[in-house]
Amino acid sequence: ARSPPPPRRIPPRHLSKHAQEGYAVDWSPVAEGCLLAGDCAGAIKLSLPGEGGRWRDDAEAFDAAGSSVEDLQWSPVEANVFSSGGTDGLLRVWDTRKKGAAAIAVKAHDQDINVLSWSRQTTCMLASGCDDGSFKVWDLRSFQQSGHIAHLTYHHAPVTSIEWCPHDSAMLATSSADDQLAVWDLSLERDAEEEAMAMEEGEGTKVKADELPPQLLFLHLGQKDLKELRWHLQIP
């Protein structure tokens, strides 16, 4: 029998050199071909498409003050604005036209910020997932340290992924190192009467209704080591 041909190696079209490894990358949904990449040394590099299919790095990197950059999110509507979250718990908003410090920086969490999601339906809303298992929702029109509009806790381990639903502006999903994927509806509020009825119907349940956030809509269990989630763009 003939041996299979050796695997074909496809060289990278572009290589952005960082001082250390990194995990945060994001393509701009507004400016075609613009790519951000962050590393564990706190450097964020912007790569831009050039002539002849070539790429170039912006001359000066953005500096997150030495804090490892865990996630990056471009603004869904502004070509020059992006956000970053890192191990210092700071949520930063940057303007690519201004090098140096971030345009805005807020101490969003007491532990690492692992993941971010910028809503493409309500474009002033930004969500941040933390190492302590909680996540916060921020309104960038009133962005300040105590200015989050929601702080929801359910997960018992670090949040590993977070994403707004593309079909409903009030819904988002989170996954966690506790092997649970949660779907949230921020428009829901606690209904004591409905919870009492549910407790009567579900006698013997291990979790009481008042121990669960009312915004927790659905739980998916059974998978291990959940790292990333994505909504289907065509199917709600």
Side-chain angles (χ1 to χ4, degrees):
R2 298 177 60 183
S3 59
R8 180 186 174 193
R9 292 184 175 273
I10 302 176
R13 295 294 301 272
H14 174 67
L15 180 63
S16 179
K17 295 183 179 179
H18 287 261
Q20 293 187 22
E21 65 181 359
Y23 310 100
V25 291
D26 195 36
W27 290 102
S28 171
V30 179
E32 184 177 357
C34 291
L35 177 68
L36 285 169
D39 64 29
C40 294
I44 303 170
K45 293 191 175 183
L46 173 61
S47 298
L48 304 167
E51 296 181 358
R54 296 182 178 275
W55 292 72
R56 62 179 177 86
D57 277 342
D58 208 5
E60 184 180 349
F62 302 92
D63 183 13
S67 169
S68 176
V69 179
E70 299 297 291
D71 203 7
L72 295 162
Q73 282 277 285
W74 283 100
S75 164
V77 290
E78 296 187 60
N80 298 304
V81 177
F82 70 91
S83 62
S84 70
T87 54
D88 58 2
L90 287 175
L91 178 55
R92 295 175 170 90
V93 177
W94 307 77
D95 187 330
T96 61
R97 296 163 295 188
K98 299 177 182 178
K99 295 299 188 293
I104 310 173
V106 164
K107 182 66 173 177
H109 295 272
D110 293 330
Q111 297 185 33
D112 301 4
I113 297 175
N114 294 332
V115 286
L116 300 173
S117 181
W118 202 319
S119 174
R120 300 197 179 193
Q121 288 196 326
T122 308
T123 57
C124 60
M125 296 297 182
L126 182 65
S128 57
C130 182
D131 224 32
D132 64 6
S134 72
F135 72 92
K136 293 182 179 179
V137 177
W138 305 84
D139 186 337
L140 297 177
R141 296 170 299 183
S142 55
F143 191 46
Q144 53 187 329
Q145 185 161 328
S146 58
H148 55 269
I149 61 172
H151 183 195
L152 297 174
T153 58
Y154 169 74
H155 292 296
H156 309 297
V159 177
T160 58
S161 187
I162 188 167
E163 186 175 54
W164 289 96
C165 176
H167 311 289
D168 189 322
S169 61
M171 291 180 62
L172 51 77
T174 56
S175 66
S176 168
D178 64 5
D179 299 331
Q180 298 186 77
L181 187 152
V183 177
W184 304 81
D185 186 342
L186 302 183
S187 67
L188 298 179
E189 297 181 357
R190 188 172 297 283
D191 187 322
E193 183 177 344
E194 184 177 335
E195 288 178 359
M197 292 177 60
M199 284 295 293
E200 291 178 4
E201 294 174 1
E203 186 177 356
T205 183
K206 293 182 179 180
V207 181
K208 295 180 180 180
D210 59 3
E211 294 176 354
L212 296 174
Q215 296 83 7
L216 182 58
L217 187 65
F218 173 80
L219 283 175
H220 170 69
L221 308 176
Q223 284 185 274
K224 299 294 184 182
D225 298 322
L226 294 167
K227 300 300 183 185
E228 194 158 9
L229 66 90
R230 285 290 181 265
W231 291 89
H232 197 292
L233 294 179
Q234 283 81 38
I235 303 175

